[in-house]
Amino acid sequence: MKWNPLVQSPYVVTPGEGPFEHVIGGTHDCKGGWCPNCDHPITQILTLDLRDPVLASLSLPDSVLRLLFCHRCIFGSKPFFYALLQGDVRIERAKLKTPWEDFPYEDYPTSFAPLHARLEPLSAADQETITRLNGGEITWEDLPRELFHLDCAKHQIGGEPYLLQGREDLNCCACRRKMQFLAAAADGCSDPRGFTGNDFLQVLFFICIGCNVIGAVQRCD
Ligand SMILES: [Zn+2]
Ligand SMILES: [Zn+2]
């Protein structure tokens, strides 16, 4: 199947200072960004600074794009959709489950301290390797040791990230059209326990530019 990223070139979201204010984790106070199930702010996974020319194709009226996901309450394969409303959000569709106690782990925080990040281009050779891994043409056993890191989930904008469950589509909950891939989020953040405590888990964020809707799905290895 055809993989359809909005941002054509791949960028790894890498901790460190850069010219723009991309953030892994952090807090938000956007209206509508509250999980009605666990009664906490929906966890901010990534914040993208839309002044970065890398993100020009998003052409959103907002200054930042917040990628939100509640790991307490959204698990399994059902997508989570929310509309972008000029800095605020509105949950469009979410299948929420009552969280188990201490899920995803004990003393789960209501937010994660912000970790500043920059967008590092992924080389064409690395992108090709990831594409071949995703397509099943090669496995990690075909890789030299120094490329083993490509066979794992990372925070990535655009291109085709390493996909724990292969390529997939997501249709917009509003217009039903196929959404475009926007970003993949892995587990790493400012907390050594991670967003979920599971390195073999990722959230794929898709976008419908026509409707200004984000769709997110959680995938595990
Ligand atoms: Zn929740
Ligand atoms: Zn749509």
Side-chain angles (χ1 to χ4, degrees):
M1 66 154 277
K2 194 176 178 317
W3 186 254
N4 184 18
L6 179 64
V7 178
Q8 291 294 316
S9 300
Y11 292 85
V12 178
V13 184
T14 308
E17 293 298 328
F20 299 100
E21 292 174 24
H22 305 301
V23 177
I24 299 168
T27 55
H28 68 85
D29 59 358
C30 57
K31 286 196 199 95
W34 194 268
C35 178
N37 200 47
C38 64
D39 203 25
H40 288 97
I42 302 174
T43 305
Q44 180 164 279
I45 307 291
L46 294 173
T47 302
L48 301 175
D49 182 345
L50 296 176
R51 295 171 302 176
D52 189 331
V54 162
L55 304 170
S57 54
L58 272 72
S59 59
L60 293 169
D62 313 334
S63 57
V64 297
L65 173 57
R66 300 181 192 283
L67 298 182
L68 309 174
F69 197 83
C70 188
H71 279 296
R72 289 172 193 268
C73 304
I74 310 170
F75 43 94
S77 58
K78 296 291 180 200
F80 165 58
F81 293 100
Y82 60 95
L84 303 169
L85 304 172
Q86 300 197 352
D88 294 324
V89 301
R90 181 181 63 230
I91 296 173
E92 297 289 298
R93 190 187 299 167
K95 195 166 167 42
L96 304 167
K97 296 187 182 180
T98 302
W100 300 304
E101 205 178 325
D102 300 338
F103 183 84
Y105 49 71
E106 212 171 315
D107 298 325
Y108 195 71
T110 54
S111 65
F112 291 83
L115 187 60
H116 289 273
R118 57 178 189 272
L119 303 185
E120 294 265 340
L122 185 72
S123 74
D126 285 355
Q127 175 63 91
E128 191 190 335
T129 300
I130 290 171
T131 300
R132 294 178 72 205
L133 285 165
N134 287 341
E137 292 171 54
I138 56 172
T139 71
W140 67 271
E141 291 170 313
D142 299 310
L143 299 178
R145 180 168 289 275
E146 67 271 19
L147 294 185
F148 280 3
H149 69 95
L150 296 176
D151 185 67
C152 62
K154 290 200 183 75
H155 300 309
Q156 182 174 318
I157 305 299
E160 182 177 333
Y162 179 71
L163 296 164
L164 292 171
Q165 290 189 6
R167 298 182 192 121
E168 58 188 299
D169 283 329
L170 189 61
N171 289 335
C172 175
C173 64
C175 70
R176 305 277 173 202
R177 291 199 184 92
K178 289 212 187 310
M179 303 180 87
Q180 289 183 284
F181 169 73
L182 177 62
D187 205 48
C189 64
S190 59
D191 190 313
R193 300 171 297 178
F195 284 120
T196 65
N198 181 355
D199 287 336
F200 301 98
L201 181 146
Q202 68 186 165
V203 181
L204 303 177
F205 290 94
F206 296 83
I207 187 166
C208 177
I209 283 294
C211 301
N212 280 355
V213 164
I214 298 287
V217 287
Q218 186 194 65
R219 295 292 177 242
C220 300
D221 199 0

